Amino acid sequence: MIELEGVPELIDPIMVAAFEGWNDAGDAASSAVAHLEQEWKGEVFAALDAEDYYDFQVNRPTVFMEDGTRKITWPTTRLSVVRITGERPRDLVLVRGIEPSMRWRSFCNELLGFAHELGVEMVVVLGALLGDTPHTRPVPVSGVTSDPDLARTMDLEESKYEGPTGIVGILQEACTHAGVPAVSLWAAVPHYVSQPPNPKATLALLNRLEDLVDLRIPLGELVEDARAWQLGVDQLAAEDSEVAEYVQSLEEARDTAELPEASGEAIAREFERYLRRREPGAGPGGPGAAGGFGRESAGPGGDRARSARPTRAEEPKEPKPQEPPEKGTEEEKPGREAAGPGTGEQETGSAPESSGEAPERRPDEDGPGEPGEEGPGRD
């Protein structure tokens, strides 16, 4: 039995985990948990014994100097807790580490022991995979679960994957067998720009997590980092005609695939999510503002709306003299005209967040191992 000292009783805690390695293309998932720790000042309360789970020839310890003394950092997995205050307080248990080299079942059982002692209500595991997705479009993020009931109630995909798996898939299955609700969120990273970091994919994961757990996540400088990353990739792609042509083909394929998704029901659902995110007094252009770069996973048609060029304002026309209405006809009342280009509905820009539609290559809880798809960490 795990005994925890100095950890207060938590309020409706959710465990959020990410692991460096095979399941972490572009370091997007581990960077998302690191961002939560930094923004909410997470306090580490436990670390797994590195001797039990890691091959130090694969994941080597590092040496550093502190106040003139040499110290060693061993590869491991650490657990921290963040207390979120506000109108609806809720606590998070953050798990960040490296995919273990051995004893995966014992590794997952130890994490589940912490979850049980802390009263964790749900486990969310973040992952990132390489896919055929253009860097110029919103990052696709898919939510996957092995629980059919959870899939229906939370609008998630039910896992159908078969093939090699990583620690994300193993931990999710361990949670399911232990009766703990578990979800994995997968971000698709462009395979032609897979080098870490990828702040745009990290931002998309945080946006999807925000919807899933109904929390307002402070984004800090991540929005500007994501914007700078995309501009940098744009410049590199423009210097190579073959890469630019390939990116254009991915854009066309993505837009064509998403066109049927833009149904009235889907647009209404995304607009409802947008309204839930709005905060009183939020200024334009903020992280939660409509059409802002912070809403990285746009809804159906959102990427096309964001990339469209602004329309020119119409020149004012001279008013025509009003003719008296004919007999038997009703005079037009103000406000009956159709909304024009300058109305508020048009100014809201792109739809806010992705509803978790799967990317072109549908990731499962074990997305990187999907047959025929290059996985994170592979050459």
Side-chain angles (χ1 to χ4, degrees):
M1 181 176 177
I2 297 174
E3 295 185 2
L4 299 175
E5 296 182 1
V7 179
E9 186 176 351
L10 304 181
I11 302 174
D12 302 331
I14 291 178
M15 179 176 281
V16 181
F19 304 94
E20 300 174 16
W22 200 57
N23 301 134
D24 194 22
D27 290 353
S30 57
S31 296
V33 175
H35 177 85
L36 296 177
E37 286 181 340
Q38 179 181 352
E39 292 294 325
W40 277 322
K41 297 178 173 54
E43 298 178 4
V44 176
F45 65 87
L48 306 190
D49 191 343
E51 292 280 352
D52 293 339
Y53 304 115
Y54 295 99
D55 181 347
F56 298 139
Q57 290 183 323
V58 177
N59 298 290
R60 293 186 177 273
T62 57
V63 180
F64 66 98
M65 299 293 294
E66 184 177 304
D67 298 329
T69 304
R70 291 173 64 84
K71 295 188 176 182
I72 298 176
T73 299
W74 297 91
T76 187
T77 295
R78 293 178 174 83
L79 292 86
S80 60
V81 62
V82 296
R83 314 301 303 270
I84 304 171
T85 58
E87 295 180 2
R88 290 181 295 176
R90 159 163 265 169
D91 299 328
L92 297 182
V93 178
L94 304 180
V95 180
R96 182 162 67 104
I98 304 170
E99 184 178 60
S101 307
M102 61 193 83
R103 302 185 182 91
W104 283 18
R105 284 177 292 187
S106 299
F107 180 87
C108 293
N109 287 336
E110 189 166 354
L111 290 179
L112 283 172
F114 282 107
H116 176 73
E117 290 299 317
L118 295 168
V120 167
E121 297 183 348
M122 183 171 65
V123 175
V124 181
V125 193
L126 307 182
L129 54 86
L130 299 179
D132 293 331
T133 180
H135 72 279
T136 54
R137 295 294 186 263
V139 176
V141 178
S142 294
V144 182
T145 181
S146 299
D147 186 340
D149 295 332
L150 196 62
R152 284 192 297 270
T153 57
M154 302 193 74
D155 193 22
L156 302 168
E157 290 183 54
E158 187 178 350
S159 172
K160 302 294 184 184
Y161 171 77
E162 296 179 352
T165 185
I167 192 60
V168 171
I170 297 298
L171 179 57
Q172 181 174 324
E173 288 304 309
C175 291
T176 301
H177 289 300
V180 179
V183 175
S184 59
L185 300 180
W186 287 94
V189 173
H191 67 85
Y192 58 89
V193 57
S194 59
Q195 300 86 350
N198 189 321
K200 186 173 182 180
T202 297
L203 180 61
L205 280 171
L206 291 175
N207 287 340
R208 187 71 171 87
L209 178 65
E210 188 179 54
D211 286 339
L212 185 71
V213 301
D214 195 20
L215 283 176
R216 185 73 176 175
I217 297 176
L219 299 178
E221 298 179 357
L222 193 56
V223 175
E224 287 305 317
D225 291 343
R227 191 192 310 275
W229 177 87
Q230 179 166 327
L231 290 176
V233 179
D234 285 342
Q235 293 172 0
L236 292 175
E239 295 172 359
D240 189 320
S241 58
E242 291 185 1
V243 173
E245 184 178 347
Y246 178 66
V247 171
Q248 184 179 0
S249 68
L250 292 178
E251 291 173 342
E252 293 172 354
R254 172 76 176 273
D255 294 344
T256 301
E258 287 189 346
L259 190 59
E261 306 276 344
S263 64
E265 183 180 349
I267 294 173
R269 183 169 63 249
E270 298 303 329
F271 188 65
E272 287 176 2
R273 290 186 176 185
Y274 159 71
L275 291 178
R276 285 200 302 270
R277 285 194 198 99
R278 293 191 62 182
E279 292 182 345
F293 202 87
R295 306 316 313 168
E296 194 42 53
S297 283
D303 51 346
R304 290 180 294 277
R306 182 181 290 109
S307 60
R309 295 181 179 177
T311 56
R312 295 179 57 187
E314 295 183 2
E315 296 181 1
K317 299 179 181 179
E318 293 185 6
K320 295 181 179 179
Q322 186 175 2
E323 297 181 2
E326 295 182 8
K327 254 184 179 180
T329 63
E330 197 173 3
E331 196 172 345
E332 281 281 325
K333 295 182 180 179
R336 296 282 298 276
E337 293 84 6
T343 59
E345 289 82 15
Q346 294 294 330
E347 291 176 355
T348 53
S350 60
E353 173 79 8
S354 171
S355 54
E357 316 293 347
E360 299 78 35
R361 298 187 176 195
R362 185 172 74 87
D364 231 314
E365 82 278 11
D366 315 316
E370 191 168 349
E373 182 174 272
E374 185 181 5
R378 293 184 178 179
D379 293 330

